[in-house]
Amino acid sequence: MEIFHISAECYPMVKVGGLADVVGALPKYQAAAGNLVRVVVPCYDTKFKKENNFECVHWGNVKLGNFDFPFSVLKETSNKLGYELYLIEIKELFDRPNVYGYEDDIERFFSFQIATLDWLLARKTIPDVINCHDHHTGLVPFLLKYAYKYESLKSVRTVITIHNGLYQGWFGFDKLHYLPEFDLIHVGFLEWGSSLNSLAVGVKCAHAVTTVSPSYLNEINYSANGLESLFNSVQSKSKGILNGIDIEVWDPSKDKMIVQNYSIDSFEVGKQMNKENLCEQFELDPGKPLFSFIGRLFEEKGGDLLPQASALALSENFENINILILGSGNSLIEEQLMQLRNDYKGNYNVFIGYNEELAHLIYAGSDYILMPSRVEPCGLNQMYALRYGTIPIVRRTGGLRDTVVDFGDNGNGICHDQASVGDICYSINRAVKLYDDKINLNKVIKTGMSIDHSWERVCQEYIEIYNLIIEKNEV
Ligand code: GLC
């Protein structure tokens, strides 16, 4: 089967969040299972782009209303990723340091999608399936069905995978003329409420919809930033598939980014050595339990709760615990977290930014990972943590609900119901008690480390959906 993944992010080419990890791993396992798999992302100015070789396989011009954007399609030549990686190079729009957050994001991602389809049109073969990811690629299913220009690609089946339904890519009717020509009778597919909505378009027009965990699929029926009734109406073509993790990249027994490798049989010594290194870097005490947070500092992830929860936990348990935070996002949260450094020196530290290597060391060297998310479609950090023998402390939501079971129920982690300072601190207290009960602690760690979250099994679930929509052959 020939499969294309189209996405705004793909690790190691470009990563902002978990989307990149999924689009960097799922294709690899689909290819290993015997499929022809290609990933298409915009050509940003990233380290990976600079350090790797690419050949130009196609070039053209995207027409966006009165604008003309020349583009090239660049193929990564070594094929070392396990799938073919293609970059859509539109210099004017993507040759910038950041992935998102520009005023012309609509123009940028419209052009990306149109350029990709123009290239597919020019190729000799027609793919079986296009798997779109999030709203940045939501127009693709619509354009394939209704734009005159892409008539010959009509047989391609489309899936849209929702990694985060909060962001939807709204745009006004004034941008409608950017789209390649289609019969206006179909304009309703583009509308949601009083605007045009890229994610809604994708959900309406794709042959199948997947979310990144089963619980998240349930949740978006009643909480999806305005799209609840839409998700309700497409239940028959929707499925929640829990993400996997790339067990080659995330393997404590082989990870080159950590100080000491270890396995389920040697985690006590291994983790302690990583912890000592980490604590030395951040002036923390390796004799005390280390609670860490890794991620984007936004309300969605419970980032706004961290300053107060940290202050409270540190004052209650001052001598007992360390807290370390790695992340960036909302500048007010960043500032509050920075300030705490003065008050709790020796027990608390923060690194504002993102650093992949440090993240690996934090998973290896921490005792607990905090994930007080308000919304978590899947969450990968808890799965990385489990594999590294670090106990996740999570709010029961989305994929966290599907992957973490409280140790009180013989599980692998600590769960709480509310995204609140009180619930976080209560869980930290339970964790401190568990830390002193080494027999139980090690049992919880081992339960977590033995879980198989690899993509091998999960990637088959995607293939089953592809097969189903190919067999159905609906218009
Ligand atoms: C988004 C979601 C996260 C999910 C990731 C990968 O970042 O917020 O929960 O794990 O996508 O699917």
Side-chain angles (χ1 to χ4, degrees):
M1 188 184 305
E2 188 183 13
I3 305 160
F4 270 78
H5 287 271
I6 310 183
S7 168
E9 299 178 36
C10 172
Y11 180 81
M13 165 58 196
V14 51
K15 173 167 171 174
V16 177
L19 168 66
D21 287 356
V22 171
V23 179
L26 169 62
K28 181 158 93 178
Y29 290 89
Q30 288 180 331
N35 301 288
L36 271 174
V37 190
R38 272 125 203 182
V39 176
V40 191
V41 291
C43 183
Y44 311 95
D45 184 21
T46 65
K47 191 163 167 263
F48 183 90
K49 169 66 187 20
K50 285 188 198 111
E51 290 174 357
N52 289 275
N53 295 322
F54 296 84
E55 61 172 317
C56 179
V57 293
H58 180 80
W59 59 89
N61 236 317
V62 182
K63 265 212 151 323
L64 220 59
N66 295 329
F67 302 113
D68 251 331
F69 296 110
F71 74 92
S72 318
V73 182
L74 309 179
K75 178 177 186 290
E76 197 272 327
T77 49
S78 76
N79 280 334
K80 65 181 172 193
L81 300 175
Y83 51 84
E84 292 182 4
L85 176 70
Y86 293 90
L87 308 181
I88 303 291
E89 183 177 55
I90 311 176
K91 285 220 161 80
E92 232 172 292
L93 299 177
F94 287 103
D95 205 7
R96 306 178 187 177
N98 294 331
V99 175
Y100 312 114
Y102 296 99
E103 263 182 18
D104 58 351
D105 274 359
I106 286 293
E107 283 76 5
R108 296 169 76 225
F109 289 104
F110 273 29
S111 310
F112 166 57
Q113 294 174 82
I114 295 170
T116 304
L117 293 185
D118 283 359
W119 166 50
L120 295 187
L121 200 59
R123 286 173 82 240
K124 286 192 197 77
T125 54
I126 297 178
D128 297 291
V129 173
I130 295 183
N131 198 150
C132 303
H133 296 267
D134 276 351
H135 75 82
H136 321 98
T137 56
L139 296 177
V140 167
F142 173 84
L143 294 174
L144 285 174
K145 270 188 173 165
Y146 303 116
Y148 298 127
K149 190 177 175 182
Y150 303 123
E151 180 75 28
S152 61
L153 293 174
K154 240 189 169 139
S155 65
V156 180
R157 305 289 92 184
T158 54
V159 176
I160 184 155
T161 298
I162 298 166
H163 299 259
N164 195 333
L166 290 179
Y167 304 101
Q168 301 174 357
W170 300 282
F171 58 100
F173 282 89
D174 58 321
K175 310 261 159 133
L176 199 57
H177 68 290
Y178 285 166
L179 298 182
E181 215 183 318
F182 61 94
D183 188 338
L184 277 175
I185 201 166
H186 301 302
V187 75
F189 286 109
L190 298 167
E191 294 178 44
W192 191 258
S194 51
S195 67
L196 306 175
N197 181 313
S198 303
L199 186 65
V201 182
V203 170
K204 289 185 206 178
C205 298
H207 298 100
V209 177
T210 66
T211 60
V212 288
S213 73
S215 285
Y216 188 58
L217 182 63
N218 269 337
E219 283 171 20
I220 54 178
N221 283 302
Y222 53 87
S223 171
N225 207 6
L227 296 188
E228 298 77 7
S229 59
L230 175 64
F231 285 120
N232 249 299
S233 69
V234 296
Q235 278 187 25
S236 61
K237 64 169 181 180
S238 307
K239 186 161 186 214
I241 304 178
L242 189 70
N243 283 334
I245 57 170
D246 193 331
I247 53 167
E248 285 169 15
V249 176
W250 298 96
D251 181 355
S253 70
K254 299 206 179 85
D255 194 333
K256 292 200 173 68
M257 301 188 207
I258 65 178
V259 173
Q260 173 67 43
N261 292 120
Y262 58 92
S263 67
I264 192 161
D265 300 316
S266 56
F267 71 86
E268 273 185 277
V269 179
K271 282 188 72 66
Q272 187 60 26
M273 287 172 77
N274 287 296
K275 185 174 177 180
E276 274 163 23
N277 183 287
L278 189 61
C279 286
E280 199 183 313
Q281 282 186 47
F282 288 94
E283 295 169 13
L284 301 169
D285 179 350
K288 297 173 187 166
L290 173 58
F291 295 79
S292 300
F293 172 94
I294 301 179
R296 284 171 287 146
L297 298 169
F298 291 114
E299 279 189 19
E300 186 192 329
K301 303 282 174 197
D304 56 315
L305 305 170
L306 290 174
Q308 218 192 324
S310 302
L312 197 66
L314 286 165
S315 42
E316 270 184 10
N317 285 304
F318 189 76
E319 295 300 323
N320 290 337
I321 66 167
N322 301 297
I323 296 183
L324 176 61
I325 291 170
L326 163 65
S328 64
N330 180 305
S331 50
L332 183 67
I333 302 176
E334 288 181 2
E335 226 169 86
Q336 290 172 337
L337 289 171
M338 294 284 279
Q339 262 170 14
L340 286 181
R341 274 213 287 220
N342 306 327
D343 302 337
Y344 301 104
K345 219 171 176 330
N347 287 80
Y348 170 91
N349 217 330
V350 56
F351 181 104
I352 299 294
Y354 190 73
N355 178 321
E356 192 75 11
E357 270 188 33
L358 179 57
H360 281 244
L361 185 62
I362 294 180
Y363 288 116
S366 302
D367 299 293
Y368 297 98
I369 283 284
L370 296 166
M371 296 185 75
S373 307
R374 289 194 173 77
V375 183
E376 198 61 84
C378 177
L380 299 170
N381 292 6
Q382 80 279 19
M383 296 197 254
Y384 299 146
L386 287 168
R387 189 152 162 80
Y388 282 67
T390 300
I391 298 176
I393 299 182
V394 308
R395 167 166 182 250
R396 282 192 188 92
T397 182
L400 297 175
R401 188 189 288 279
D402 295 338
T403 49
V404 183
V405 176
D406 194 88
F407 75 95
D409 299 318
N410 286 324
N412 52 15
I414 297 182
C415 303
H416 53 91
D417 285 320
Q418 306 300 324
S420 68
V421 170
D423 270 30
I424 299 172
C425 289
Y426 180 71
S427 295
I428 290 180
N429 272 323
R430 289 182 70 209
V432 171
K433 288 199 186 104
L434 178 65
Y435 187 78
D436 291 334
D437 175 0
K438 288 286 180 256
I439 293 180
N440 252 325
L441 180 79
N442 288 349
K443 190 176 137 215
V444 179
I445 292 175
K446 281 188 177 169
T447 309
M449 287 185 88
S450 353
I451 300 172
D452 175 10
H453 278 303
S454 65
W455 274 110
E456 261 133 26
R457 186 180 41 80
V458 183
C459 88
Q460 254 338 94
E461 292 190 47
Y462 277 88
I463 304 288
E464 276 164 28
I465 290 186
Y466 301 163
N467 278 327
L468 207 72
I469 56 180
I470 290 170
E471 270 164 35
K472 267 194 180 164
N473 201 19
E474 275 168 0
V475 187

